[in-house]
Amino acid sequence: MNYQILLESYASGEDISKDELSLLELELDSQLESIKFSRTQGCTEKAPKHICVVAQICEGSSWITCLASILDKSNPLSLGKKSRGAKVIDALLHNNYLMN
């Protein structure tokens, strides 16, 4: 299943299963690697407003940022670990998708 469909389902009130969370984690890792090599990744495109709202991030944010935020909310990392959202922002800055 496409990660965008899973996020759409989540935005409409459906829960994300453990297996789906695992798939989303893999997708996020894959996207973080992909943005290093290609500027045509759909994950850096703006997500729809309703996805940003449910992810609790600013309207106009990218799909990858929404994905990280939803994963952080749905499957929090242990204390002391850098959040997925922070990792995504770092990667986007490092690869010149965002300006400092």
Side-chain angles (χ1 to χ4, degrees):
M1 181 179 275
N2 178 309
Y3 80 95
Q4 291 173 330
I5 294 171
L6 283 173
L7 297 186
E8 288 283 356
S9 296
Y10 180 77
S12 69
E14 293 182 33
D15 289 331
I16 299 174
S17 72
K18 278 190 146 189
D19 289 339
E20 291 168 335
L21 283 172
S22 294
L23 290 172
L24 290 175
E25 291 281 0
L26 290 172
E27 180 64 31
L28 181 63
D29 291 342
S30 173
Q31 288 182 15
L32 286 170
E33 286 302 311
S34 294
I35 63 173
K36 295 176 185 177
F37 306 106
S38 175
R39 297 203 65 82
T40 60
Q41 294 299 310
C43 65
T44 58
E45 293 175 5
K46 288 182 183 178
K49 180 180 178 177
H50 68 283
I51 299 294
C52 294
V53 168
V54 77
Q56 298 178 332
I57 58 176
C58 297
E59 182 179 341
S61 294
S62 64
W63 276 102
I64 192 171
T65 308
C66 291
L67 173 57
S69 177
I70 290 171
L71 279 169
D72 282 335
K73 287 176 40 179
S74 300
N75 190 23
L77 297 172
S78 59
L79 287 175
K81 289 196 174 183
K82 190 178 218 177
S83 72
R84 295 167 192 91
K87 289 179 186 178
V88 165
I89 296 301
D90 288 349
L92 291 172
L93 283 168
H94 181 76
N95 292 287
N96 299 314
Y97 286 89
L98 303 174
M99 302 301 286
N100 285 339

